[in-house]
Amino acid sequence: GDSVTQMEGPVTLSEEAFLTINCTYTATGYPSLFWYVQYPGEGLQLLLKATKADDKGSNKGFEATYRKETTSFHLEKGSVQVSDSAVYFCALRRGDYNQGGKLIFGQGTELSVKP
Amino acid sequence: DSGVTQTPKHLITATGQRVTLRCSPRSGDLSVYWYQQSLDQGLQFLIHYYNGEERAKGNILERFSAQQFPDLHSELNLSSLELGDSALYFCASTDNFNEQFFGPGTRLTVL
């Protein structure tokens, strides 16, 4: 079945460091891919998305490119801030209506940014 | 604020009991999804309702059930609770097939 695999955390970085969180997926067809962020004590917020191969999603300095050849959607940011400390989830959604649009999540990667 | 509300925020109960979690979607959204977040299982899809009808089921136990009412709010009913049911329960809403907006969640603790 469909699945998403993320790099294990926690990831600890210093402020202004470069961030990469790896995400790979397994799915039939052409899923849409998402990164969600969960701040402590809060629900999930959509960070960025890409709906087809080679699309680049970007938001708040974060970027991820939908790579169909490597079935990957790695999250990157050039310079992290303390306020980026959160748990990041990679997710996919199958394109066929019969799947109902459910999201399939990776296990989450906790990011901690130190001043 | 996503516009999705969930009540209660916290729920503490005992094994064997039954609880009801409530979700109010964003105005105009017809779809409601329920997800469970636990330490051992991660974030898992439970069930999807669209305009009052069940559309898809995921890893939802038989002890769990849900419904969506004519005013589009949804309730997730959990019965015969076990320790392992302790988790964060999220609902999310969307207008059709677009971005899902998540509520703040209900933290269930079963003692």
Side-chain angles (χ1 to χ4, degrees):
Chain A
D2 299 344
S3 65
V4 176
T5 302
Q6 290 179 233
M7 66 185 282
E8 287 192 20
V11 174
T12 303
L13 296 174
S14 298
E15 209 165 21
E16 298 184 2
F18 184 86
L19 169 71
T20 299
I21 300 178
N22 290 337
C23 170
T24 57
Y25 68 91
T26 301
T28 55
Y30 302 93
S32 294
L33 301 174
F34 304 84
W35 277 100
Y36 279 83
V37 59
Q38 185 179 28
Y39 298 102
E42 298 185 12
L44 281 77
Q45 300 174 27
L46 179 64
L47 183 58
L48 53 83
K49 68 179 181 183
T51 58
K52 61 183 187 297
D54 300 324
D55 266 3
K56 177 186 280 190
S58 61
N59 186 25
K60 299 180 183 179
F62 291 89
E63 292 183 342
T65 301
Y66 188 165
R67 301 282 188 205
K68 190 161 177 63
E69 64 276 13
T70 55
T71 61
S72 65
F73 193 54
H74 305 321
L75 182 69
E76 296 182 337
K77 186 175 185 183
S79 176
V80 294
Q81 305 300 312
V82 173
S83 58
D84 294 326
S85 298
V87 180
Y88 292 81
F89 292 91
C90 185
L92 70 82
R93 187 189 68 205
R94 285 269 298 275
D96 49 311
Y97 179 77
N98 288 336
Q99 289 293 313
K102 67 181 180 185
L103 291 167
I104 296 172
F105 289 92
Q107 66 267 43
T109 301
E110 182 180 358
L111 171 65
S112 177
V113 181
K114 307 297 185 187
Chain B
D1 185 355
S2 67
V4 178
T5 60
Q6 289 187 247
T7 56
K9 193 172 176 66
H10 300 280
L11 200 46
I12 302 174
T13 189
T15 54
Q17 295 298 304
R18 172 189 170 93
V19 297
T20 297
L21 282 54
R22 181 187 170 105
C23 169
S24 294
R26 291 188 320 153
S27 177
D29 284 357
L30 301 179
S31 272
V32 171
Y33 296 80
W34 286 96
Y35 295 90
Q36 179 195 57
Q37 184 178 28
S38 63
L39 282 175
D40 53 346
Q41 299 289 331
L43 256 170
Q44 290 201 89
F45 164 72
L46 293 177
I47 198 163
H48 169 214
Y49 274 82
Y50 176 80
N51 201 20
E53 292 188 7
E54 180 186 305
R55 281 299 174 90
K57 265 186 174 179
N59 297 319
I60 187 166
L61 300 170
E62 285 192 12
R63 302 183 284 107
F64 295 2
S65 64
Q67 53 185 327
Q68 186 179 27
F69 295 86
D71 67 352
L72 300 177
H73 91 271
S74 178
E75 293 181 357
L76 180 66
N77 300 296
L78 316 176
S79 62
S80 303
L81 285 168
E82 302 176 359
L83 296 177
D85 298 328
S86 297
L88 257 174
Y89 292 85
F90 290 106
C91 75
S93 75
T94 181
D95 54 0
N96 192 358
F97 212 55
N98 297 313
E99 174 186 349
Q100 292 183 23
F101 292 85
F102 281 76
T106 293
R107 181 172 293 281
L108 173 67
T109 302
V110 182
L111 300 175

